[in-house]
Amino acid sequence: FMPVVLWNQAHDWVSFHKQFGRAAATGWHLAYLPEFIGAQIGLLNPLMVPFVVAGIAVAWRWLRRGDAATGLLLATSLPFILYLLAHSLHARVQANWVAPLYPAAALLAALAAERIQPRPGRLAGLLRGLALFVAPVGIAVGLLALVHAVTPIGGTVVRGDPTKQIRGWDSLAATLALKAGAAGARWIGTDSYGTTGELAFQLKDHDLPVVQLGERIRYTHLPVPDAALLAEPALIVMLERRADPADLARRFGSVEPLGSLDRPDGHARYQLFRVADPRLGGPLDPVTPKP
C-alpha cells in the first residue's frame, strides 16, 4: 500500500480527500443498511452466504489463537467491512465497492465447505449437498448476466439495471461527432470520467479530442491538453441531472445551449452546449463542483 501513500503525498493527498470525504455523515439512519446487505447476498451468490458466514466464524477463532495463515484473510478484511457497515448507516454503499472483499470471502467459504465434509449430523449433510451447487449456480448466473449485458433479456433495459451503462455509446458518439461538426467545435468537453472514457474510445478515429473539464487529477498520466486546442470552440456534453450552465459560464465567455440528446438503450439524457472564448485561467481551471 506504500505506493498509494507516496503518490498521494506528491499529489496533495487527493484520493484521501475524495474517499474520506464520503465518510462524513450528516445524520444516521437504517434506510440503506438492508439494501447493502441484500445487494451483497445477491452479488456474492446466495448459496455461498452460509459458507462465508461459517468461514468467518472459523477464521475469527483461528485469528484469536494466533493462526496467521487463515486469520490474515479476516484481519485484512475487517477494517473495510466495518467501514462499509458504518457508511451504510448514513449513505448508500455502491454495490461494486465491496468487490475487493470477494476473493477473501470465496477462500473463507471454501475453508468452511472443507471443514464440514467429515462432520456427522443432518445440518452438515445439508451443507455438503448445498456446496455441490454453489459453483454451478454462480457460473450460470454469471454467464446469464454476460448474455444480458450484450443482448438485454426481453429486449429492454429496466430501471436500475447496471448493464445499461455500457449501451448506446457508439450511436451517441456518432451523433455528437455530427453535432460538433455542425457547431464548428474542435473538441468535446465532459463532466465525468465515465462519459470521458466512453466517448474517447468511440471517437478515437475522429479528429475530435475528448477532455473532462473537472477532476483533472485523474489524468496526470496523460499529456496536458494543448492550450491552442482548448481555445477553440467546443461541444460540451453533460448528464442532464448534473448539467450546470453556471459552471460553464465561469469557464467560457460564450455558452450556447443546444438542447438535449438521449443515449439509445442507455436510459440517459445529456445536455449539450456550444462554448467558446475561454476565460482567464482556461477551461480546465478548477471551479467549485455542483453537489
Side-chain angles (χ1 to χ4, degrees):
F1 192 70
M2 185 55 66
V4 176
V5 176
L6 295 176
W7 185 92
N8 272 273
Q9 183 184 31
H11 293 85
D12 299 321
W13 303 101
V14 62
S15 69
F16 284 80
H17 283 299
K18 179 176 178 63
Q19 299 302 337
F20 284 107
R22 303 180 194 269
T26 56
W28 299 93
H29 50 79
L30 298 176
Y32 296 113
L33 181 60
E35 174 187 302
F36 167 52
I37 295 174
Q40 293 313 309
I41 290 174
L43 288 172
L44 190 61
N45 182 346
L47 299 184
M48 197 168 82
V49 171
F51 299 98
V52 174
V53 173
I56 290 174
V58 172
W60 177 253
R61 291 197 299 270
W62 289 10
L63 179 63
R64 292 185 62 185
R65 69 179 188 225
D67 187 305
T70 304
L72 187 64
L73 287 173
L74 187 58
T76 54
S77 301
L78 271 177
F80 194 28
I81 293 173
L82 294 175
Y83 166 74
L84 292 172
L85 286 171
H87 188 94
S88 70
L89 296 177
H90 70 86
R92 175 173 282 112
V93 175
Q94 300 298 329
N96 60 293
W97 291 1
V98 193
L101 295 175
Y102 288 166
L107 289 170
L108 290 171
L111 170 68
E114 180 186 41
R115 286 176 62 82
I116 65 168
Q117 290 302 319
R119 294 196 173 190
R122 184 176 181 182
L123 178 60
L126 289 174
L127 289 175
R128 281 194 293 272
L130 183 64
L132 298 175
F133 294 93
V134 172
V137 169
I139 292 170
V141 172
L143 290 173
L144 186 64
L146 290 174
V147 170
H148 173 70
V150 177
T151 305
I153 297 173
T156 186
V157 181
V158 298
R159 183 176 178 83
D161 178 2
T163 66
K164 69 183 182 182
Q165 299 177 61
I166 66 174
R167 304 186 201 288
W169 289 103
D170 51 350
S171 177
L172 176 67
T175 303
L176 289 175
L178 294 175
K179 288 185 174 295
R186 289 287 314 283
W187 57 283
I188 287 181
T190 66
D191 64 342
S192 71
Y193 68 91
T195 304
T196 304
E198 291 283 1
L199 293 182
F201 175 76
Q202 296 293 339
L203 296 171
K204 62 183 181 295
D205 296 328
H206 294 70
D207 185 21
L208 197 60
V210 181
V211 179
Q212 183 176 343
L213 300 183
E215 297 185 324
R216 293 304 306 167
I217 192 68
R218 293 183 182 275
Y219 306 100
T220 56
H221 61 294
L222 297 176
V224 177
D226 182 57
L229 172 69
L230 298 180
E232 297 286 342
L235 177 66
I236 304 297
V237 183
M238 292 181 162
L239 273 171
E240 186 174 62
R241 67 177 185 272
R242 298 177 185 166
D244 188 1
D247 173 78
L248 296 178
R250 289 190 289 267
R251 299 176 186 272
F252 300 94
S254 172
V255 179
E256 178 187 350
L258 297 180
S260 61
L261 182 64
D262 290 330
R263 174 158 53 87
D265 299 324
H267 287 197
R269 174 165 292 183
Y270 300 84
Q271 291 291 325
L272 307 182
F273 303 86
R274 183 190 186 277
V275 299
D277 303 327
R279 295 190 183 279
L280 185 65
L284 305 188
D285 189 45
V287 296
T288 303
K290 183 180 181 181

